[in-house]
Amino acid sequence: MSPTLDSDARTADARCSRRRFLQAATATGVGLAALSTASSTASAARSSLRDQYQIRLGTPDEQTVYYYRAEQDGPTTMVIGGIHGDERAGYLAADQIREWTVDRGELVVVPRANPAAIADDLRPWDNDLNRQFPPRGGDCLSPLADTLWDVVEHHDPDWVFDLHSSRGIYKSDDGGVGQALFPTWTDPARPTGEQTVAALNERFGLSGDMAYLMGNTLDADRDMLMHRVAGVLDRPGFICETTEKAPLDEQVAWHLFTVEHAMAQFGQTRVTDQKSTTQTTQTTPDRHEIVIQGAGPETRYEFKATESVTPIDEPEWNDYVYSRGVNGAVSTGEDRFYFEGSLEYVEVKEGDAADLTVTVDGREISAEPNTRTIQFEGTGPAVRYEFKATESVTPVDEPEWNDYVYSRGVNGEVTSGVDRFTFVGDLEYVEVTEGDASDLAVYVDGLPFDL
Ligand SMILES: [Zn+2]
């Protein structure tokens, strides 16, 4: 708590912090040996490394720091989420980024910097973690802020991203700061941010108030983490703010895009590792193919799987693929992906669902919002089935004479053909009422459904 902070004192303080950090890491027995080795043998041939360690063990602030180091030397990017516990887009995006692989350099992610506040879904205004980082040096104002700063100094990042969200929108007179990137004063933060903002607006079709802007410069005059990154480390980086007026999934997609796009500008590329994913998934029975085919007019769609998504062809510039989902566009062509698990949703974001044909493993499914598809395939012998949905049922093809369709259910029969319906809500039940269940295959949203 020295009142004078000349540059010598700052340096001494930084050294002290690093030592404290390493001592703490040793004392808690976390896997930092590999990290220390990494920084001392940067020029030698090295293998890639994925690691993690915990900080603030045994306290309400206990959390994990995630680390990936590529074989090839390069910049270190650091991403922080969850400084404000009620800003979900930031930590949900960081939860995904911590699984990313990069082609060079290092990626360090502190996805949930303030776990106690996240657990309460709260920004405690009387104890705001982002007011505990004196921007020109000196001790941080809480043990948690102090440890987080030690982590920053230990990894010595070349770029830092701090992910947040805001109720409002920057420069819209609602007092909010969403839809903006606030760059540190260090070059080339601002020009890099300008490129990313332009690409974000283009890719996601953001205009009017929703269009991203560059915010004012973080110039080391407030007690915020990123002001301290500017004032003490003098490194480029951004506070990234989305608006909570948008759906959470979109906010997360914007954060992911921002980090990936800015990283690409400084030569660090996210690797989706298509080849090895494909190799692994070929032996996995749970891998499925989804094809989204356009009929002409440009249609923007989004889908999300429960486990993972991998593009089959090289994604086009307007298809954004993240670890479990895709935000893409088709006009006359088709986009093809593998996914694992099941589909959480498929929906049209812009354009008309009628212009899209979506198939899963060759079976067409609905792209209408909140609408799911159920398909009955017979093998030959007649089987009568019955099912009921919680909200409504609609036949896709004209029902045959022996298929009775009610508002929420169907009593139908198949032999060697296919009966297909869409429904809204959940399935109350699906059952075979006559015949042998082994002569019937049922698919929900293109995936086998166990009777
Ligand atoms: Zn915030």
Side-chain angles (χ1 to χ4, degrees):
M1 285 289 190
S2 160
T4 55
L5 289 168
D6 58 24
S7 69
D8 287 349
R10 276 212 305 277
T11 312
D13 192 66
R15 237 184 274 127
C16 179
S17 295
R18 182 173 290 238
R19 191 162 57 239
R20 227 175 25 238
F21 174 82
L22 291 170
Q23 281 165 353
T26 309
T28 52
V30 294
L32 267 168
L35 300 188
S36 308
T37 313
S39 43
S40 60
T41 58
S43 57
R46 61 186 194 185
S47 53
S48 65
L49 171 72
R50 195 179 288 284
D51 209 347
Q52 63 188 60
Y53 60 92
Q54 285 176 298
I55 55 174
R56 306 277 307 144
L57 276 172
T59 75
D61 309 329
E62 183 173 312
Q63 60 185 283
T64 306
V65 178
Y66 297 85
Y67 173 85
Y68 178 80
R69 184 196 67 192
E71 267 175 52
Q72 202 181 333
D73 205 2
T76 296
T77 297
M78 186 156 190
V79 178
I80 294 151
I83 281 200
H84 289 140
D86 59 344
E87 297 174 5
R88 288 181 284 167
Y91 62 79
L92 293 175
D95 282 345
Q96 294 191 37
I97 295 169
R98 73 175 171 81
E99 294 173 1
W100 285 6
T101 298
V102 288
D103 68 335
R104 69 193 66 214
E106 301 173 30
L107 177 62
V108 183
V109 184
V110 184
R112 292 171 175 246
N114 196 354
I118 290 171
D120 293 340
D121 196 27
L122 185 76
R123 172 177 182 164
W125 290 92
D126 56 346
N127 179 27
D128 183 343
L129 178 57
N130 214 15
R131 299 294 181 272
Q132 298 170 3
F133 296 92
R136 306 277 180 152
D139 287 335
C140 292
L141 306 182
S142 71
L144 173 56
D146 210 33
T147 307
L148 289 170
W149 187 253
D150 288 348
V151 171
V152 172
E153 289 203 319
H154 172 75
H155 291 284
D156 200 18
D158 297 289
W159 283 82
V160 182
F161 297 80
D162 184 13
L163 309 182
H164 290 254
S165 61
S166 168
R167 299 222 172 114
I169 294 175
Y170 185 61
K171 294 225 161 132
S172 74
D173 294 329
D174 64 9
V177 290
Q179 304 308 82
L181 303 184
F182 297 84
T184 63
W185 61 14
T186 310
D187 203 48
R190 184 167 286 275
T192 303
E194 279 164 358
Q195 295 282 336
T196 298
V197 159
L200 261 169
N201 292 337
E202 164 92 29
R203 179 73 55 96
F204 292 95
L206 301 172
S207 59
D209 276 355
M210 293 303 283
Y212 264 82
L213 298 174
M214 287 303 290
N216 55 276
T217 303
L218 308 174
D219 55 1
D221 69 349
R222 299 190 67 185
D223 287 348
M224 298 186 188
L225 172 70
M226 288 304 295
H227 278 268
R228 189 169 167 107
V229 166
V232 175
L233 299 180
D234 197 13
R235 300 286 157 76
F238 308 99
I239 297 177
C240 307
E241 294 276 4
T242 61
T243 180
E244 291 160 16
K245 290 179 172 173
L248 186 57
D249 270 10
E250 293 190 32
Q251 297 176 55
V252 171
W254 298 333
H255 274 323
L256 297 173
F257 181 92
T258 297
V259 175
E260 188 171 347
H261 192 276
M263 269 178 20
Q265 288 184 71
F266 54 80
Q268 197 175 25
T269 307
R270 183 185 160 207
V271 179
T272 48
D273 201 9
Q274 207 167 318
K275 204 163 151 200
S276 70
T277 309
T278 307
Q279 277 165 357
T280 326
T281 52
Q282 264 163 359
T283 56
T284 309
D286 204 23
R287 190 191 73 175
H288 306 282
E289 185 189 54
I290 179 169
V291 178
I292 295 118
Q293 192 178 12
E298 175 159 305
T299 311
R300 181 156 282 283
Y301 63 87
E302 194 173 297
F303 74 85
K304 197 164 176 188
T306 54
E307 291 177 30
S308 67
V309 169
T310 318
I312 294 175
D313 314 303
E314 183 72 19
E316 290 136 279
W317 67 271
N318 56 358
D319 294 330
Y320 186 58
V321 182
Y322 46 105
S323 62
R324 296 201 291 124
V326 173
N327 179 323
V330 280
S331 44
T332 53
E334 59 178 38
D335 290 354
R336 304 190 305 147
F337 307 89
Y338 289 128
F339 68 90
E340 284 183 67
S342 57
L343 287 175
E344 282 185 13
Y345 62 86
V346 183
E347 58 188 39
V348 171
K349 310 296 287 184
E350 279 170 42
D352 191 344
D355 292 326
L356 281 190
T357 305
V358 182
T359 58
V360 169
D361 294 341
R363 292 184 182 83
E364 189 174 343
I365 66 167
S366 174
E368 299 286 346
N370 304 315
T371 303
R372 306 178 64 192
T373 308
I374 186 166
Q375 179 164 338
F376 297 85
E377 292 181 12
T379 58
V383 181
R384 286 208 74 79
Y385 60 85
E386 202 173 295
F387 77 93
K388 200 163 176 185
T390 54
E391 293 180 36
S392 66
V393 169
T394 313
V396 174
D397 313 300
E398 185 71 18
E400 290 136 282
W401 66 272
N402 53 1
D403 296 331
Y404 307 101
V405 182
Y406 310 99
S407 63
R408 300 198 289 124
V410 174
N411 179 326
E413 181 173 314
V414 279
T415 48
S416 56
V418 175
D419 288 358
R420 202 148 51 97
F421 308 89
T422 59
F423 66 94
V424 177
D426 295 317
L427 286 171
E428 279 182 16
Y429 62 87
V430 183
E431 59 189 34
V432 170
T433 53
E434 276 179 56
D436 193 339
S438 64
D439 292 322
L440 181 71
V442 182
Y443 298 88
V444 173
D445 293 335
L447 301 180
F449 179 87
D450 211 358
L451 278 168

